[in-house]
């Protein structure tokens, strides 16, 4: 079962603790970082979310390996790009979880997707509430995380359109989602 809970005002503090630890470790290793971003639903005040802090560590292409090595040094397990170009996922050690932490290349579609969703939902309460309802409905009906993602995908596409992402960019993001149950039956 997928757990979606009401917004928790402690989430920004949890992100800040992660940002501080990551930033200090990256700085100590001499890895230049463009930014460390709180993304995902926990970054949007008032939005229901899975209680997992999503973090993008933004670097240039040439610093991906060094940033990844720092995360491994903190106890993270690399999970590869999971089908999302220029974004690498890491499984957090228990002491730092729950988090979805990524090393993301500056300017990549993956980063622009994360920031567009966050910033659009922060600015549009009606769309935020529509997304919250879709997330709760999807969580109630989903048997798997892939079902959950598919259950909210139409609203995500509407958010990306409102954020100004092009049709081609939205199609690329959509193609990186798990297939819908109807498509897997074919």
């Amino acid at each position: 079962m997928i757990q979606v809970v009401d917004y928790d005002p402690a989430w920004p503090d949890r992100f800040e603790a992660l940002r501080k630890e990551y930033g200090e470790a990256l700085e100590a290793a001499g890895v230049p970082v463009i930014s460390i971003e709180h993304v995902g639903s926990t970054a949007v005040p008032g939005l229901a979310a899975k209680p997992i802090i999503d973090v993008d560590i933004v670097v240039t292409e040439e610093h991906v390996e060094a940033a990844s090595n720092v995360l491994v040094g903190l106890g993270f397990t690399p999970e590869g790009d999971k089908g999302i170009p220029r974004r690498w996922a890491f499984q957090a050690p228990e002491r730092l979880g729950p988090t979805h932490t990524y090393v993301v290349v500056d300017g990549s579609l993956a980063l622009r997707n994360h920031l567009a969703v966050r910033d659009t939902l922060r600015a549009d309460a009606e769309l935020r509430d529509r997304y919250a309802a879709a997330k709760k409905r999807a969580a109630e009906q989903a048997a798997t995380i892939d079902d959950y993602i598919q259950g909210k995908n139409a609203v995500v596409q509407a958010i990306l359109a409102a954020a100004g992402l092009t049709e081609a960019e939205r199609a690329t993001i959509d193609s990186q989602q798990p297939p819908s149950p109807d498509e897997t039956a074919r």
Side-chain angles (χ1 to χ4, degrees):
M1 181 175 173
I2 309 301
Q3 179 188 24
V4 173
V5 300
D6 288 334
Y7 181 77
D8 183 339
W11 288 337
D13 292 336
R14 179 71 187 121
F15 164 73
E16 283 302 321
L18 292 169
R19 186 191 60 70
K20 183 176 188 288
E21 182 156 349
Y22 299 168
E24 288 173 356
L26 290 157
E27 184 178 351
V31 179
V33 173
I34 293 167
S35 65
I36 299 175
E37 300 285 344
H38 187 186
V39 295
S41 296
T42 62
V44 180
L47 180 59
K50 293 188 308 314
I52 300 168
I53 306 300
D54 291 349
V55 180
D56 282 354
I57 299 171
V58 184
V59 297
T60 58
E61 192 93 47
E62 63 267 19
H63 295 111
V64 167
E65 185 176 351
S68 297
N69 290 338
V70 169
L71 288 178
V72 169
L74 289 173
F76 283 83
T77 303
E79 298 183 318
D81 70 9
K82 294 185 155 190
I84 312 288
R86 304 176 79 204
R87 185 210 75 179
W88 292 268
F90 293 83
Q91 177 67 43
E94 190 173 322
R95 73 177 184 81
L96 293 173
T99 178
H100 292 146
T101 295
Y102 306 98
V103 172
V104 185
V105 174
D106 187 38
S108 67
L109 182 57
L111 177 63
R112 291 182 17 249
N113 172 13
H114 283 173
L115 296 178
V117 170
R118 179 195 69 190
D119 295 346
T120 299
L121 293 175
R122 283 178 174 175
D124 186 333
E126 183 178 331
L127 196 51
R128 180 199 66 215
D129 293 345
R130 182 174 156 207
Y131 187 44
K135 288 165 67 72
K136 287 179 179 180
R137 188 172 46 256
E140 289 171 4
Q141 298 170 353
T144 67
I145 190 67
D146 291 346
D147 293 342
Y148 170 74
I149 291 167
Q150 277 301 316
K152 63 188 184 87
N153 193 46
V155 179
V156 170
Q157 287 294 311
I159 295 164
L160 294 172
L165 272 71
T166 68
E167 187 174 329
E169 290 169 328
R170 295 190 317 269
T172 297
I173 292 165
D174 190 52
S175 73
Q176 296 166 344
Q177 301 303 315
S180 71
D182 292 342
E183 291 171 357
T184 58
R186 292 182 205 168

